[in-house]
Amino acid sequence: TYNTINKLQESLDLYLELLKTEKNNTALLYNTAYTYKKMGLLEKAFPYYQKTLELNPDHSEANFSLGLAYLAQGDFEKGWEKYE
């Protein structure tokens, strides 16, 4: 994917376009969040992580990544809970 070669904007554009028709696709939602996080846009990543977990509460990568995002923002209570 574009993410693996650091073409983040291209990757994000593709995910957002695909989400127009696949709104509940957890892989797309997670990858959108991951891309936003990788771009340093944590606030934009949170809703996509949360939607991923709403649809699949056991999504381990989303739980871990959301925990890291909370920790990066200094929200240690939520961060450590998801990180574990």
Side-chain angles (χ1 to χ4, degrees):
T1 68
Y2 287 125
N3 265 340
T4 58
I5 58 173
N6 279 328
K7 291 193 173 211
L8 301 178
Q9 189 60 57
E10 291 89 338
S11 182
L12 182 62
D13 292 344
L14 179 60
Y15 294 140
L16 292 173
E17 184 63 32
L18 291 169
L19 280 170
K20 289 179 182 177
T21 58
E22 298 286 329
K23 295 176 184 165
N24 292 324
N25 183 311
T26 56
L28 290 173
L29 290 162
Y30 171 76
N31 284 319
T32 301
Y34 174 80
T35 304
Y36 273 129
K37 187 178 84 164
K38 203 168 175 185
M39 294 170 82
L41 302 170
L42 289 178
E43 288 300 321
K44 290 190 174 193
F46 282 113
Y48 292 95
Y49 283 134
Q50 291 162 341
K51 180 70 174 180
T52 301
L53 292 170
E54 178 186 310
L55 295 169
N56 180 4
D58 297 326
H59 194 291
S60 59
E61 293 91 353
N63 275 300
F64 179 76
S65 294
L66 181 58
L68 289 177
Y70 280 131
L71 290 172
Q73 286 200 316
D75 189 338
F76 298 110
E77 184 176 333
K78 288 181 182 176
W80 289 123
E81 177 186 327
K82 290 290 183 189
Y83 183 81
E84 292 176 357

